[in-house]
Amino acid sequence: NNCQNVLWIRSDWLAKTGLDVPKTLADVENLAKTFIQMKLGGDNTIGITTTSDLYTGYNASWGLDTVFSYFDAYPGVWLKQADGSPVYGSVRSEVKNALSTLRNWYSDGILDKEFAVRDESGRQSLIGKGQCGMYFGVWWPSNGVADAAELDPNADWIAVSAPLDSDGYLKAPQNDPIQK
């Protein structure tokens, strides 16, 4: 059972930018910056919001798991190395690469400045009130998307597979089929 979180994007905002649907990590970053620069959600537009956990695991919303997977980073997961020995994913150098990118996103204002203290209802409110343009989540529309559409008839969301690796694939860990 693969956990493939998708990137939810305000497609009405995307249309206003004139940019294409993001495919690469650089595309995702550029789109978030453009949303903020254009103030599409008002003066306090947020590009991407997440949870304080950053990496949420199986079928979870808000986590940046797909960004970690892009770097072949799988925190909290035991992996088989080339020699067949196990290694805990959280201690691999690939995790540092992902965290470095996320640190830059935070510094550049792409990530929600209050992600570490914002609770579930706060994140849903950002989406519902039209202040945030993207989040990673499960494949079905949730997390305030219905509120956004109700409060703003122009609000339209699409789910995309991004960021893709250099071969055009979205990476995801293979998980235990039993959910906690």
Side-chain angles (χ1 to χ4, degrees):
N1 189 10
N2 282 334
C3 169
Q4 179 186 340
N5 282 357
V6 296
L7 177 62
W8 284 94
I9 303 171
R10 281 277 307 251
S11 61
D12 54 312
W13 288 13
L14 176 63
K16 290 178 183 177
T17 68
L19 298 172
D20 292 329
V21 171
K23 293 180 182 171
T24 67
L25 190 65
D27 293 344
V28 172
E29 183 176 319
N30 184 50
L31 183 59
K33 284 181 181 179
T34 303
F35 284 169
I36 294 164
Q37 290 166 352
M38 292 179 70
K39 298 182 179 185
L40 294 176
D43 288 338
N44 297 317
T45 301
I46 294 169
I48 300 173
T49 192
T50 186
T51 70
S52 59
D53 295 331
L54 295 179
Y55 190 90
T56 53
Y58 179 77
N59 233 9
S61 288
W62 307 111
L64 300 172
D65 303 35
T66 308
V67 175
F68 280 88
S69 298
Y70 174 85
F71 289 99
D72 291 321
Y74 304 97
V77 177
W78 284 96
L79 304 167
K80 187 189 300 186
Q81 298 185 95
D83 67 2
S85 64
V87 62
Y88 193 55
S90 297
V91 299
R92 296 178 70 222
S93 63
E94 290 84 351
V95 173
K96 290 181 184 179
N97 296 335
L99 289 172
S100 176
T101 294
L102 296 176
R103 181 193 65 227
N104 292 338
W105 283 11
Y106 184 81
S107 296
D108 292 344
I110 292 170
L111 277 182
D112 178 4
K113 290 288 188 184
E114 296 181 25
F115 81 86
V117 295
R118 198 178 301 279
D119 63 8
E120 178 73 15
S121 64
R123 287 187 296 275
Q124 287 187 13
S125 180
L126 288 176
I127 302 300
K129 292 179 181 176
Q131 294 177 281
C132 183
M134 290 189 279
Y135 73 93
F136 288 92
V138 292
W139 58 267
W140 60 87
S142 60
N143 301 331
V145 169
D147 294 338
E150 192 172 310
L151 293 171
D152 179 356
N154 297 315
D156 190 29
W157 288 84
I158 58 170
V160 301
S161 293
L164 304 177
D165 68 10
S166 60
D167 295 325
Y169 292 103
L170 182 73
K171 297 177 185 176
Q174 180 73 25
N175 290 297
D176 187 332
I178 299 173
Q179 186 175 3
K180 296 182 203 176

